[in-house]
Amino acid sequence: MHLLRLTCVLATLCLLVAHADPTAAPPDGASIFADLTPAELRAVRDFLRGRPELGLSAQSGDTLAQNTLFLVELLPPTKRAALRHLDGGGPAPQRRARAVIFFGAQTEPNVTEFAVGPLPRPRSYRPLRFKGGRAVPFSSRPMTMQEYDLLHRALVMATEPLYRLLRDTTGFWYHNCTQRCLTFSDIAPRGLAPGERRTWLILQRFVEGYFLHPVGLELLLDHHDPDPRRWAVQSVWYNGQYFSSPQELAERYERGTLAVARLSDPAAPHLFSTYIPRGRFTTGTATNVHGAKVCEPQGRRYRLRGNRLEYGGWSLAFRLRSSAGLQLFDVRFNGERVAYELSVQEAVAFYGGDTPAAMQTKYLDAGWGMGSVTYELAPGIDCPEVSTFLDVHHLYDSKGPRRFRRALCVFELPTGVPLRRHFDSDFRGGFHFYAGLEGHALVLRTTSTVYNYDYIWDVLLYPNGVLEAKVHATGYIHATFYTPQGRRYGSRVHSHVLGNVHTHLVHYKVDLDVAGTGNSFETMDISFENISNPWSPGARVVQPWLHRQPRRTERQAALPLGTPLPRYLLFSNPRQRNRWGHARGYRIQHRSHAGHVLPRGWKEEKGVAWGRYHLAVTRHRESEASSSSLYNQNNPWEPTVSFESFIRNDESIENQDLVAWVTVGFLHVPHAEDIPNTSTPGNSVGFFLRPFNFFDEDPSVASHGAVIVRPQDPDFTRLEVQRWTPDSAGPCVAPEPFSYNGTYWLV
């Protein structure tokens, strides 16, 4: 069925009534943002399967020419409807689902998204449109497990002529394999132009950490046709040489005219890609006992009710969407909304290399189900043992909801540094007072394991009104077969392994509502002035002054990479003032060293146009809900969502409902120390939301974790210690009561 025909049919179906019971009003405002329950996911699936005009079938068989349900997740309410409920006492918006269907059983296949509801008993559906009304080509769809199974079968046949070559040079093979098998990693985008679906496949030895075990063979497989019988290998690369087919490569080997690379047994002397300890530290200090741990000596200081999280002055709603990951809503401090939404939008890694797979690798991880690969968190390693762990459910490329155990965790973290402190010296060996406030933050964490890479996503809430969004990159590097020319594109990290250079970029959406929805944006930095010294005639004074620059339109507020970023990025409500007459505001502070992934406008760069800017600020539009999509990965040349269109009309952003789009990232040149895995220290980026005259003073003065010490006599033999928590924290720290001396006399 053609897309236009389908749309016409759908228009007549939007009001179909199957059930009359309305959705019950949720008990708490956060629940309107809660992920779909397993029952709701099944209800949507069953409802859509029951519509004969959709022709849905379970993914099966040897063809992709089927109509299949790929994804079901919450379709959040519009901001207007949500605020009417949260702030105006209006009814809760009806819960609806976003459903993605692959229409492969049509003359002109396509991908269509639908809004389905109301939940929990759906009775209608309607197509969703992307900005500009563009349809999603079938070739832009994400991969499915069915397509991977078919790729595997195609590789079995394609590598049959290469059995002897692979067995003799690697000790592993692909065709007719039960042990010592090869596997593959696939590269994206899948081609060089819209409509293509040609994928480079890297063959690797299937051992623990197989990403680090390429064998020097890469194949380009065309799998555009829904019928896998029409798939074909178009090119082969082996050990620095190109061949037209596997048969040509096999013939060269049999004739003895092929330059081969013979690989040693991967387990000799040890499998370098494993976590099994090896070697020793020369100091001899113990590592075979437990290190320091996080504990809660007097119980949890946060409250978790469903998807509502509260800590100190903070409260927020959260969800873990299958498509793109962590998403916060209705973020408040002391009851005042700071942000309506804060969410991960996209994570990309663009590579360079000498092999065809390496030079083609430009990963857009939302296209790989970045939010659905939220595997179990290990207590004591991924999160402290005392954490609260939460399960989630995804219906992503599956027949029904899947339960992901411990996909999220919440814990309070001692930061190891005071939130603030002061030692007031008397400059004679004593002090007037010491005061400090212990440093803590509440952490909301999840991970995304997108094949080789593991992203650790954190949101940290501090008691002084500061929020930090942060991502750590770890896991296995994306490695290709080493060639001498490869050193131009990375580092040799093992005998036949090259770690390829790449740039990571991560995009966040921050829908700020600072003291209301009417906000303005300005940048601030310092300039220097040279003035006459008013208290010394004839002398000059050079000093800094605050240079404030209002950004009045979307183009003025698009701050490009490659140019210095103003150090203060301020969002404020000009109609709301704090006690001292300042516009109440929040600032975004980057912690990043992001760079361009490609020159502006070059082919695939169009699919990550948001990566042109450190920060862009736009007016809130429901049609601009996300800066990327599931489909940009496999069609970056004509992306379904083009971020540049968000700012092209250059609307006014003065006293408007504003959205900040934040880009952070880093350059990664892999090195020997990335074996076996990239480590987290030094490989994290993010940003802070920091109050800037939003309050009248530091709101953490409400915390009872402060300690004040005052001398009571000139000899400092009697001290007054003021604290508002028990003297002893409990058995998980030193059991003695708190003590303090504070002197630094000569001895």
Side-chain angles (χ1 to χ4, degrees):
M1 188 185 298
H2 191 278
L3 176 64
L4 294 178
R5 172 61 180 158
L6 178 64
T7 301
C8 294
V9 172
L10 294 176
T12 67
L13 297 170
C14 295
L15 298 178
L16 286 171
V17 176
H19 303 281
D21 296 337
T23 303
D28 179 76
S31 64
I32 66 174
F33 305 114
D35 281 314
L36 301 184
T37 66
E40 289 174 320
L41 291 168
R42 284 190 290 268
V44 173
R45 177 202 62 189
D46 295 344
F47 171 73
L48 294 175
R49 282 183 178 177
R51 307 313 311 161
E53 68 280 355
L54 296 178
L56 291 179
S57 61
Q59 293 184 6
S60 61
D62 298 333
T63 178
L64 298 174
Q66 306 173 59
N67 295 353
T68 56
L69 178 63
F70 177 70
L71 166 69
V72 179
E73 64 179 1
L74 176 74
L75 180 65
T78 65
K79 183 175 182 179
R80 181 178 181 182
L83 294 186
R84 189 185 305 124
H85 171 61
L86 296 171
D87 299 344
Q94 290 183 327
R95 283 172 64 78
R96 296 187 180 275
R98 172 199 183 198
V100 176
I101 296 179
F102 296 170
F103 287 99
Q106 300 185 170
T107 305
E108 296 185 23
N110 68 82
V111 179
T112 305
E113 298 195 358
F114 299 96
V116 183
L119 298 176
R121 300 178 182 86
R123 57 180 182 268
S124 66
Y125 68 102
R126 60 177 176 81
L128 295 170
R129 297 297 183 204
F130 288 93
K131 188 173 182 178
R134 295 186 55 202
V136 180
F138 195 60
S139 58
S140 300
R141 71 193 185 281
M143 291 287 289
T144 63
M145 289 307 300
Q146 182 194 17
E147 192 167 3
Y148 276 121
D149 288 342
L150 295 172
L151 278 182
H152 166 70
R153 296 184 206 175
L155 267 182
V156 167
M157 292 186 292
T159 58
E160 183 175 1
L162 303 175
Y163 168 74
R164 284 191 57 192
L165 167 64
L166 294 170
R167 181 200 62 189
D168 296 348
T169 60
T170 74
F172 290 63
W173 53 92
Y174 204 98
H175 172 73
N176 196 25
C177 166
T178 56
Q179 293 181 341
R180 298 182 71 82
C181 297
L182 295 174
T183 187
F184 71 90
S185 290
D186 56 323
I187 302 306
R190 305 178 191 281
L192 299 174
E196 294 186 1
R197 204 166 177 86
R198 300 186 296 153
T199 300
W200 277 102
L201 307 170
I202 303 174
L203 268 68
Q204 301 144 324
R205 293 195 276 198
F206 190 48
V207 296
E208 196 169 283
Y210 64 87
F211 302 104
L212 298 181
H213 294 272
V215 299
L217 177 64
E218 300 177 0
L219 298 93
L220 178 62
L221 182 67
D222 186 343
H223 53 114
H224 175 266
D225 198 288
D227 186 349
R229 293 173 298 181
R230 299 190 178 98
W231 294 1
V233 174
Q234 294 186 330
S235 183
V236 177
W237 181 92
Y238 175 75
N239 193 27
Q241 307 159 80
Y242 285 89
F243 304 89
S244 61
S245 67
Q247 290 78 10
E248 181 190 358
L249 172 58
E251 291 168 3
R252 287 278 304 276
Y253 178 67
E254 296 298 334
R255 291 199 304 266
T257 60
L258 180 68
V260 300
R262 299 188 183 275
L263 309 185
S264 60
D265 189 315
H270 56 255
L271 186 59
F272 68 91
S273 54
T274 76
Y275 269 64
I276 296 174
R278 47 194 179 267
R280 66 184 184 89
F281 296 122
T282 59
T283 64
T285 54
T287 63
N288 58 350
V289 295
H290 284 289
K293 297 288 184 178
V294 174
C295 69
E296 297 170 330
Q298 289 156 359
R300 290 174 179 158
R301 304 200 306 172
Y302 60 89
R303 183 184 301 119
L304 187 60
R305 297 182 295 176
N307 69 317
R308 168 72 69 190
L309 182 61
E310 297 172 323
Y311 173 72
W314 289 103
S315 70
L316 57 86
F318 64 91
R319 64 179 290 234
L320 188 59
R321 60 209 159 132
S322 305
S323 53
L326 197 60
Q327 188 173 32
L328 311 183
F329 285 104
D330 196 25
V331 181
R332 300 176 185 238
F333 195 92
N334 284 346
E336 287 192 274
R337 187 175 299 111
V338 173
Y340 174 75
E341 177 187 351
L342 190 156
S343 57
V344 179
Q345 296 291 299
E346 183 64 276
V348 308
F350 279 40
Y351 288 76
D354 184 51
T355 79
M359 64 183 69
Q360 179 67 8
T361 304
K362 300 168 183 65
Y363 287 141
L364 284 70
D365 288 335
W368 300 76
M370 180 170 67
S372 69
V373 285
T374 53
Y375 303 113
E376 185 171 358
L377 300 168
I381 299 175
D382 295 320
C383 310
E385 290 92 339
V386 298
S387 303
T388 300
F389 291 89
L390 302 171
D391 298 348
V392 301
H393 296 84
H394 298 301
L395 201 164
Y396 181 99
D397 187 26
S398 63
K399 295 179 180 179
R402 292 181 183 270
R403 177 190 178 193
F404 285 69
R405 290 173 49 84
R406 294 175 171 171
L408 284 157
C409 70
V410 181
F411 58 94
E412 187 176 16
L413 179 70
T415 61
V417 63
L419 186 71
R420 44 186 165 81
R421 58 97 67 187
H422 180 65
F423 181 90
D424 202 62
S425 173
D426 67 2
F427 301 104
R428 291 187 294 272
F431 65 105
H432 298 300
F433 74 91
Y434 164 83
L437 176 62
E438 59 188 12
H440 288 93
L442 191 73
V443 182
L444 173 62
R445 172 173 293 169
T446 188
T447 61
S448 299
T449 301
V450 190
Y451 290 85
N452 59 300
Y453 253 111
D454 293 65
Y455 296 104
I456 302 172
W457 305 98
D458 284 353
V459 173
L460 293 89
L461 307 174
Y462 297 92
N464 60 340
V466 172
L467 181 151
E468 181 182 5
K470 180 166 60 175
V471 57
H472 301 265
T474 181
Y476 287 98
I477 58 173
H478 177 59
T480 55
F481 197 72
Y482 173 78
T483 65
Q485 297 78 15
R487 284 186 184 269
R488 176 180 172 85
Y489 307 102
S491 301
R492 186 179 188 177
V493 295
H494 209 262
S495 58
H496 290 90
V497 186
L498 182 82
N500 296 80
V501 62
H502 54 285
T503 295
H504 288 279
L505 293 182
V506 175
H507 206 222
Y508 289 90
K509 177 183 181 181
V510 188
D511 183 346
L512 287 156
D513 285 355
V514 181
T517 56
N519 291 170
S520 297
F521 173 59
E522 66 175 332
T523 59
M524 185 170 67
D525 215 315
I526 61 169
S527 293
F528 292 97
E529 62 181 4
N530 187 326
I531 63 174
S532 298
N533 190 326
W535 50 267
S536 182
R540 307 289 295 178
V541 171
V542 175
Q543 64 178 355
W545 62 280
L546 294 179
H547 178 68
R548 308 179 79 121
Q549 185 175 356
R551 308 285 179 147
R552 305 185 189 282
T553 68
E554 291 173 328
R555 280 291 181 193
Q556 291 179 9
L559 308 179
L561 289 177
T563 60
L565 184 66
R567 284 175 283 185
Y568 276 67
L569 310 170
L570 301 176
F571 295 81
S572 61
N573 187 328
R575 300 179 313 282
Q576 295 287 329
R577 303 278 167 171
N578 74 355
R579 182 180 178 184
W580 317 115
H582 297 288
R584 301 180 68 201
Y586 257 77
R587 61 179 286 216
I588 289 177
Q589 180 178 323
H590 283 62
R591 194 171 64 81
S592 164
H593 47 100
H596 292 287
V597 293
L598 285 173
R600 181 179 177 124
W602 176 259
K603 295 184 177 180
E604 297 90 353
E605 189 270 347
K606 299 173 185 175
V608 290
W610 50 264
R612 299 169 183 173
Y613 309 103
H614 290 289
L615 176 77
V617 181
T618 64
R619 288 172 66 167
H620 175 271
R621 299 286 183 200
E622 293 294 340
S623 61
E624 297 172 354
S626 299
S627 60
S628 191
S629 79
L630 292 169
Y631 319 108
N632 283 24
Q633 170 66 95
N634 291 328
N635 190 3
W637 313 281
E638 294 177 352
T640 303
V641 175
S642 175
F643 182 75
E644 197 65 27
S645 69
F646 290 18
I647 60 177
R648 186 171 293 135
N649 55 0
D650 200 23
E651 292 183 292
S652 169
I653 56 170
E654 291 187 284
N655 194 24
Q656 300 291 336
D657 189 356
L658 300 184
V659 178
W661 304 90
V662 181
T663 302
V664 295
F666 63 96
L667 174 67
H668 187 186
V669 182
H671 43 88
E673 294 80 10
D674 284 313
I675 303 301
N677 272 183
T678 295
S679 54
T680 53
N683 288 312
S684 66
V685 293
F687 65 94
F688 293 91
L689 286 181
R690 299 180 59 185
F692 189 80
N693 292 316
F694 187 82
F695 304 102
D696 297 334
E697 62 180 346
D698 183 344
S700 69
V701 294
S703 173
H704 285 191
V707 174
I708 305 173
V709 183
R710 297 185 181 93
Q712 297 299 295
D713 60 55
D715 297 325
F716 300 93
T717 58
R718 290 188 302 113
L719 301 175
E720 177 194 43
V721 178
Q722 275 189 290
R723 64 181 312 161
W724 293 264
T725 55
D727 284 346
S728 174
C732 68
V733 296
E736 296 82 8
F738 175 85
S739 63
Y740 195 85
N741 182 275
T743 62
Y744 52 102
W745 291 333
L746 291 174
V747 295

